[in-house]
Amino acid sequence: RPVKINAFIDGNQLSVGAYTDMPAYVEVIDEETGEVVVEEEFVDETEISIETSGSYTVQIYAGNTVMTGEFEVE
């Protein structure tokens, strides 16, 4: 069964969705420091507020699928 994963940023609000039959996991990493600023397990959808401006990498793990993306918060 295919896994549907999506993520989008609106201002400093990151929305993540992973529609599977099991919990998913998201990490947000500060690209400048390498620090993991968010670690969260979720089911279906989650909203994350990123308080500090900068460049970030998001990694979403759902089953055997991993999605990675980059985004900016101003």
Side-chain angles (χ1 to χ4, degrees):
R1 190 171 141 162
V3 175
K4 180 181 174 187
I5 298 174
N6 61 46
F8 65 91
I9 188 83
D10 183 11
N12 71 333
Q13 287 296 118
L14 177 65
S15 299
V16 178
Y19 306 96
T20 68
D21 293 334
M22 63 189 75
Y25 177 79
V26 62
E27 280 184 344
V28 177
I29 301 162
D30 183 318
E31 290 185 358
E32 185 176 321
T33 66
E35 178 185 0
V36 176
V37 296
V38 174
E39 295 179 276
E40 184 178 322
E41 186 175 86
F42 66 98
V43 175
D44 292 335
E45 298 176 341
T46 188
E47 295 269 329
I48 300 165
S49 181
I50 307 294
E51 299 302 325
T52 305
S53 62
S55 299
Y56 296 89
T57 299
V58 61
Q59 296 181 341
I60 305 162
Y61 303 87
N64 293 329
T65 303
V66 179
M67 184 182 108
T68 301
E70 297 177 347
F71 65 95
E72 300 271 334
V73 173
E74 296 183 358

